[in-house]
Amino acid sequence: MKRTVLVAVHTGREAAVESARLVISRLVDAGITVRVLDTEAGEIACAGAEVVTGDPGAAKDAEVMMVLGGDGSLLRGAELARPAGTPLLGVNLGHVGFLAEAEVADLAAAVDNVVAGRYDVEERMTIDVLVRLNGRVLADTWALNEATVEKQERMLELVAEIDGRPLSRWGCDGVICATPTGSTAYAFSAGGPVVWPEVEALLMVPISAHALFAKPLVVSPRSTLAVEILPDTPGGVLWCDGRRRFELPSGSRVEVRRGAEPVRLARLHGVESTGAPFTDRLVAKFELPVQGWRGRVRP
């Protein structure tokens, strides 16, 4: 049975390109067909790889999509992998790299695990996002981390809604609607809570709101969140995962609900720096102080 792996890389870094060549070489030597994107193939210049166009068909029938880079690269990879249902495996070459499964020091071990099939696949919740204006659909998109309604120049005047009922009116810089995966991204920077990935929930986090009630909210995954920009006020902009941008005229309504399709992530076996438990990952990524911890005292 033919095995195929799609490899994507942040080609702006020479170290990333060298890492990609190593990955491709080891996979090809193991008899696995390797695909690379046409926009990256020239810089990688690695013999033995099949060049494909960078559309969702690139990941079709691929066993895994390996992404070498930071979280931004992983989010870009998710756009290709999600429609095909292909698991993403990230190797962190950036700074925090919360979505990545391995660090660059584990690169060879990560490839060996893929070759041997030593990995599990977990599903991460996404959100579907709809923008309406007077009942007309302006945009229909999705996000893995968050959908953010943001001001462009002047402060936004908007009303937040949960499950069809108005919650509060805010004058603010914006509102973040996030998944548990996105709780450690923009929502975290805006003061939102950290939510463990296995918790199914939706988050709404106001940004710099001028209001007495402007706390981060955690609601049911079955809920629908909405943000309405008030008419006769400045419009805004919608960003999804910091990658897809949509203009929001005055009077726009942004609706967010649980996504119909998850993003699948590959989880390796026995690679130390992955910090498999989320708590360990949190401690490692944010360098949290845990000195003095003894754990449960056993009799």
Side-chain angles (χ1 to χ4, degrees):
M1 177 176 160
K2 179 181 176 181
R3 301 178 66 192
T4 302
V5 172
L6 173 61
V7 176
V9 61
H10 187 317
T11 54
R13 301 177 182 177
E14 182 58 33
V17 173
E18 290 298 326
S19 296
R21 291 170 181 157
L22 172 64
V23 168
I24 293 169
S25 176
R26 292 178 77 100
L27 289 172
V28 170
D29 287 348
I32 295 175
T33 299
V34 178
R35 297 175 187 162
V36 296
L37 302 176
D38 55 357
T39 53
E40 302 170 358
E43 292 189 61
I44 296 173
C46 189
E50 173 187 333
V51 179
V52 295
T53 57
D55 57 49
K60 184 178 180 181
D61 300 325
E63 179 180 326
V64 169
M65 178 177 181
M66 291 190 68
V67 180
L68 285 70
D71 280 348
S73 299
L74 262 292
L75 292 171
R76 177 170 63 94
E79 295 175 355
L80 301 178
R82 179 178 180 250
T86 301
L88 279 168
L89 196 160
V91 179
N92 182 38
L93 303 178
H95 299 291
V96 179
F98 247 102
L99 290 173
E101 176 61 8
E103 301 297 323
V104 67
D106 298 315
L107 186 59
V111 176
D112 291 345
N113 276 25
V114 170
V115 171
R118 292 192 298 266
Y119 60 87
D120 299 315
V121 176
E122 70 176 42
E123 293 187 346
R124 290 293 182 93
M125 179 177 160
T126 60
I127 49 178
D128 287 338
V129 186
L130 204 62
V131 180
R132 303 180 190 269
L133 180 62
N134 299 323
R136 180 168 56 96
V137 175
L138 299 184
D140 187 352
T141 185
W142 70 283
L144 171 59
N145 274 352
E146 74 280 307
T148 308
V149 176
E150 298 182 16
K151 70 176 185 179
Q152 295 208 68
E153 296 179 1
R154 295 167 53 194
M155 183 174 65
L156 286 173
E157 291 288 342
L158 51 80
V159 175
E161 172 191 301
I162 307 291
D163 292 328
R165 302 303 303 161
L167 175 73
S168 185
R169 174 172 172 167
W170 294 322
C172 59
D173 287 350
V175 176
I176 302 168
C177 298
T179 65
T181 299
S183 72
T184 51
Y186 192 3
F188 177 83
S189 299
V194 174
V195 180
W196 266 237
E198 60 267 25
V199 175
E200 295 192 338
L202 294 172
L203 285 70
M204 178 179 278
V205 182
I207 306 171
S208 302
H210 294 262
L212 290 176
F213 182 84
K215 299 297 184 182
L217 307 172
V218 181
V219 303
S220 165
R222 295 178 296 279
S223 290
T224 298
L225 314 181
V227 175
E228 294 184 350
I229 299 177
L230 297 179
D232 303 320
T233 63
V237 62
L238 170 69
W239 282 99
C240 289
D241 286 341
R243 291 188 47 79
R244 296 175 294 281
R245 183 182 188 276
F246 305 90
E247 294 289 332
L248 297 176
S250 296
S252 296
R253 173 183 171 87
V254 179
E255 299 174 354
V256 176
R257 55 180 52 85
R258 181 178 189 152
E261 294 181 45
V263 166
R264 307 176 77 214
L265 298 181
R267 294 303 186 203
L268 301 174
H269 299 175
V271 176
E272 292 183 3
S273 69
T274 62
F278 183 73
T279 305
D280 292 353
R281 189 180 294 255
L282 203 63
V283 169
K285 297 296 184 180
F286 289 137
E287 299 181 353
L288 302 178
V290 293
Q291 296 86 352
W293 176 74
R294 297 176 59 200
R296 182 166 62 91
V297 177
R298 300 181 183 276

